[in-house]
């Protein structure tokens, strides 16, 4: 059976070069980075080299890169510690953020009496900047704006420059969950002033279980996890050295090959959109994911003219045919609640038709896309397709 993986927004295949780097680290560099002997110093040197490498590509200072277990931990640390250490009493976010942000904000509202405000979204799922400005004007005290750069379900890209400028104008901190964009877009934290960012290596062909937070120098944040003085005091615990060097290798390869790989993956997305339109003329693309210029080149979220009854078997059918994609984000799999993102931007009538997220990488081909679209077409062939809402 053909095996086709189109769930790269959930996680990516690890590059062979990354695996080799990690295997070497596991076999030959096993000292504790906090130890003062040669074994420990070798590991510590490699970690600091990785930190400097990432900082260089982002035009940041090495002290501003803090290694974490991934994006969820980094989001939690930034939001929770901003409230505890920086006096943030208002968080302004949107209802289509990753749950690492949404659930953290909800807990802070309940436990710490933090005022959580949600910026309005337009019909396509982008934040209303006029409403954001209004919220920034109205809210008193210390404010933190938390808006993700690339939405993990519909691929919308927000205007970071405009939001950063608004935050500066109204003396608000700016945090962005950049898990879907680090490794896929160039970053310069001097060009676009931002206080906090987050990343996860497994989104750009690195290992799972490691990521980093960008925390602007002299932010005033204190550690969420206490114990030892690792990570310059920001995060206690022995560093997962093999994962960090794997992250570094994946990061270097992502950026050294970015333009070439972006062009290739963009061609896959374009081919998918054309193939879907041909197979399903009544299909719609959620958010801005069908717009090559206004959404990330890595994913498409398509709403298909298939009945609710038959839709229940759609993912199962694709799975048995070897096609992996997602009904929503991977963080929601197994939930009957549906996508909180689509629930915010689609009408009740539109939600009756099934939506699937297909996300692409350098390891995919146009032939795989043709196979997947053909399987979708075969699945829907038995019924008269309803008009899509």
């Amino acid at each position: 059976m053909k095996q086709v993986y189109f769930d790269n927004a959930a996680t990516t295949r690890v590059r062979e070069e990354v695996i080799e780097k990690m295997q070497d680290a596991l076999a030959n560099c096993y000292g504790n980075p906090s130890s003062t002997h040669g074994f420990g110093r070798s590991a510590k040197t490699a970690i600091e080299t990785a930190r400097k490498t990432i900082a260089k590509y982002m035009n940041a200072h090495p002290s501003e890169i803090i290694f974490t277990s991934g994006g969820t931990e980094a989001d939690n640390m930034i939001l929770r510690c901003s409230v505890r250490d920086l006096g943030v009493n208002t968080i302004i976010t949107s209802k289509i953020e990753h749950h690492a942000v949404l659930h953290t904000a909800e807990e802070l509202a309940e436990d710490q009496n933090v005022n959580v405000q949600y910026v309005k979204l337009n019909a396509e799922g982008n934040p209303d900047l006029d409403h954001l400005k209004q919220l920034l004007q109205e809210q008193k005290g210390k404010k933190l704006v938390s808006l993700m750069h690339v939405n993990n379900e519909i691929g919308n890209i927000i205007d970071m420059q405009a939001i950063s400028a608004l935050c500066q104008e109204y003396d608000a901190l700016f945090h962005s969950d950049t898990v879907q964009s680090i490794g896929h877009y160039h970053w310069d934290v001097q060009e676009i002033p931002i206080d906090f960012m987050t990343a996860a290596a497994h989104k750009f062909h690195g290992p799972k279980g490691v990521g980093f937070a960008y925390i602007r120098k002299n932010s005033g944040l204190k550690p969420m996890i206490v114990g030892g003085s690792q990570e310059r005091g920001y995060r206690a615990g022995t560093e997962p050295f093999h994962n960090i060097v794997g992250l570094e290798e994946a990061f270097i390869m992502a950026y050294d090959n970015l333009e070439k790989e972006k062009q290739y993956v963009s061609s896959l997305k374009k081919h998918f959109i054309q193939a879907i339109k041909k197979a399903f003329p009544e299909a719609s693309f959620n958010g801005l994911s069908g717009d090559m210029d206004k959404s990330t080149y890595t994913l498409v979220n398509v709403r298909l003219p298939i009945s609710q009854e038959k839709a229940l078997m759609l993912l199962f059918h694709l799975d048995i045919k070897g096609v992996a994609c997602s009904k929503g984000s991977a963080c929601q799999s197994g939930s009957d609640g549906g996508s909180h993102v689509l629930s915010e931007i689609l009408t009740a009538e539109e939600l009756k038709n099934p939506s699937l997220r297909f996300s692409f990488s350098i390891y995919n081909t146009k032939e795989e896309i043709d196979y997947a679209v053909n399987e979708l077409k075969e699945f829907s062939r038995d019924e008269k397709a309803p008009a899509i809402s």
Side-chain angles (χ1 to χ4, degrees):
M1 181 178 66
K2 196 174 183 70
Q3 294 289 319
V4 179
Y5 185 77
F6 285 128
D7 204 15
N8 291 280
T11 196
T12 55
R13 172 179 164 183
V14 182
R15 294 184 194 259
E16 290 297 326
E17 296 89 344
V18 172
I19 294 171
E20 291 172 8
K21 192 79 177 276
M22 292 176 68
Q23 286 177 329
D24 180 67
L26 285 165
N28 301 310
C29 198
Y30 45 83
N32 189 316
S34 296
S35 298
T36 57
H37 48 61
F39 294 91
R41 291 197 306 274
S42 294
K44 183 68 172 176
T45 297
I47 289 173
E48 294 310 314
T49 299
R51 198 187 315 277
K52 290 175 183 176
T53 297
I54 293 166
K56 181 180 177 182
Y57 278 87
M58 295 177 63
N59 198 15
H61 191 275
S63 65
E64 297 174 316
I65 306 300
I66 307 302
F67 293 115
T68 66
S69 63
T72 293
E73 182 194 330
D75 285 335
N76 268 261
M77 176 173 69
I78 289 163
L79 267 63
R80 293 179 187 279
C81 295
S82 291
V83 170
R84 186 193 66 187
D85 304 328
L86 307 183
V88 167
N89 58 6
T90 296
I91 294 175
I92 300 172
T93 185
S94 84
K95 291 188 176 181
I96 62 170
E97 300 299 304
H98 191 281
H99 279 138
V101 168
L102 286 179
H103 288 170
T104 302
E106 289 164 5
E107 282 197 8
L108 289 168
E110 185 175 343
D111 299 340
Q112 305 295 327
N113 202 31
V114 171
N115 174 28
V116 178
Q117 296 288 324
Y118 298 98
V119 65
K120 293 176 183 176
L121 303 169
N122 63 23
E124 295 165 326
N126 272 356
D128 182 330
L129 297 188
D130 288 334
H131 186 232
L132 175 59
K133 182 175 183 176
Q134 180 185 333
L135 290 174
L136 287 166
Q137 288 173 331
E138 292 176 348
Q139 306 307 313
K140 306 301 180 184
K142 193 69 174 177
K143 300 175 282 285
L144 171 73
V145 173
S146 180
L147 294 169
M148 67 200 312
H149 177 234
V150 173
N151 187 274
N152 59 312
E153 291 198 37
I154 55 176
N156 287 20
I157 303 173
I158 64 170
D159 188 339
M160 296 286 283
Q161 192 78 57
I163 293 170
S164 175
L166 281 173
C167 289
Q168 288 192 306
E169 182 180 353
Y170 292 98
D171 194 28
L173 296 167
F174 182 24
H175 160 250
S176 185
D177 181 325
T178 47
V179 166
Q180 289 291 338
S181 49
I182 294 285
H184 302 288
Y185 291 90
H186 287 292
W187 281 100
D188 186 328
V189 297
Q190 306 307 322
E191 184 179 310
I192 301 180
I194 186 169
D195 297 286
F196 311 111
M197 296 168 64
T198 56
H202 72 104
K203 303 295 187 180
F204 50 90
H205 304 292
K208 297 171 184 64
V210 66
F212 64 85
Y214 163 78
I215 299 175
R216 188 170 288 280
K217 194 162 47 175
N218 301 320
S219 69
L221 287 193
K222 296 176 183 176
M224 183 174 71
I225 299 174
V226 297
S229 58
Q230 293 92 346
E231 288 306 293
R232 300 166 188 257
Y234 272 110
R235 184 186 189 273
T238 301
E239 300 93 335
F241 167 73
H242 59 294
N243 275 345
I244 291 173
V245 297
L247 183 158
E248 179 194 21
E249 184 69 13
F251 190 90
I252 291 170
M253 295 196 71
Y255 282 107
D256 284 356
N257 298 289
L258 184 59
E259 296 311 317
K260 178 182 69 176
E261 293 182 350
K262 181 179 180 180
Q263 184 176 5
Y264 176 71
V265 177
S266 295
S267 73
L268 296 179
K269 175 172 174 173
K270 184 176 181 179
H271 184 76
F272 180 86
I273 291 171
Q274 291 171 341
I276 283 289
K277 286 180 176 178
K278 183 178 179 181
F280 300 93
E282 295 176 324
S284 293
F285 296 96
N286 296 318
L288 293 169
S289 68
D291 190 318
M292 294 295 297
D293 297 320
K294 295 179 180 178
S295 66
T296 182
Y297 62 94
T298 57
L299 71 86
V300 170
N301 195 307
V302 61
R303 184 158 34 98
L304 297 166
I306 294 173
S307 68
Q308 274 185 308
E309 294 75 20
K310 193 160 188 182
L312 295 172
M313 294 297 292
L314 180 54
L315 276 181
F316 176 73
H317 170 79
L318 290 175
D319 190 33
I320 62 175
K321 294 296 183 178
V323 179
C325 62
S326 176
K327 186 178 178 182
S329 68
C331 309
Q332 300 213 130
S333 60
S335 169
D336 293 325
S339 162
H340 71 290
V341 174
L342 297 184
S343 295
E344 282 297 319
I345 66 171
L346 299 182
T347 66
E349 194 64 26
E350 289 170 334
L351 287 167
K352 289 180 180 179
N353 294 112
S355 293
L356 294 176
R357 181 187 69 180
F358 289 82
S359 43
F360 315 105
S361 85
I362 55 172
Y363 296 111
N364 292 127
T365 65
K366 290 180 180 178
E367 290 73 24
E368 290 178 338
I369 288 172
D370 292 339
Y371 173 76
V373 172
N374 185 63
E375 287 301 330
L376 285 172
K377 193 172 180 180
E378 286 296 316
F379 178 79
S380 65
R381 196 182 297 277
D382 297 337
E383 69 171 9
K384 188 179 186 305
I388 199 157
S389 306

